[in-house]
Amino acid sequence: MKEEKNRKEYWRANLRYVSILLSIWFLVSFVFGILLVEPLNTIQLGGFELGFWFAQQGSMYVFVVLIFVYVWLMNRLDKRFGVYED
């Protein structure tokens, strides 16, 4: 019974992490890179318009960072539930 509860808690936490991280990626890639591209193009970043940067580079950089964040979060979660690997 307790093991089943732990499994459900673990899965719920994992889904929460995935939902938050995918929401951030959606915000950066779709909202900033497509929907808000015109207002963001009024800001310059390294000589490029910010909207263009988000559409071309920013979403990929954020995605890679989110992968590392997910690995870090899951390692912490695994340790919390005692299912980590050495």
Side-chain angles (χ1 to χ4, degrees), residues 6-14 74 77-78 81 83:
N6 279 346
R7 215 174 303 150
K8 285 183 180 182
E9 244 181 87
Y10 179 86
W11 186 245
R12 194 172 307 129
N14 184 16
M74 289 308 296
L77 188 66
D78 288 350
F81 282 91
V83 292

Side-chain angles (χ1 to χ4, degrees), residues 18 26-27 29-30 37 46 49 51 54 59-60 66 82:
V18 169
F26 175 79
L27 178 73
S29 63
F30 188 75
V37 72
E49 297 169 332
F54 270 115
S59 61
M60 290 182 284
L66 290 177

Side-chain angles (χ1 to χ4, degrees), residues 30-48:
F30 188 75
V31 176
F32 291 166
I34 297 173
L35 297 179
L36 296 177
V37 72
E38 293 301 323
L40 288 174
N41 278 340
T42 61
I43 303 168
Q44 296 284 319
L45 177 69
F48 296 99

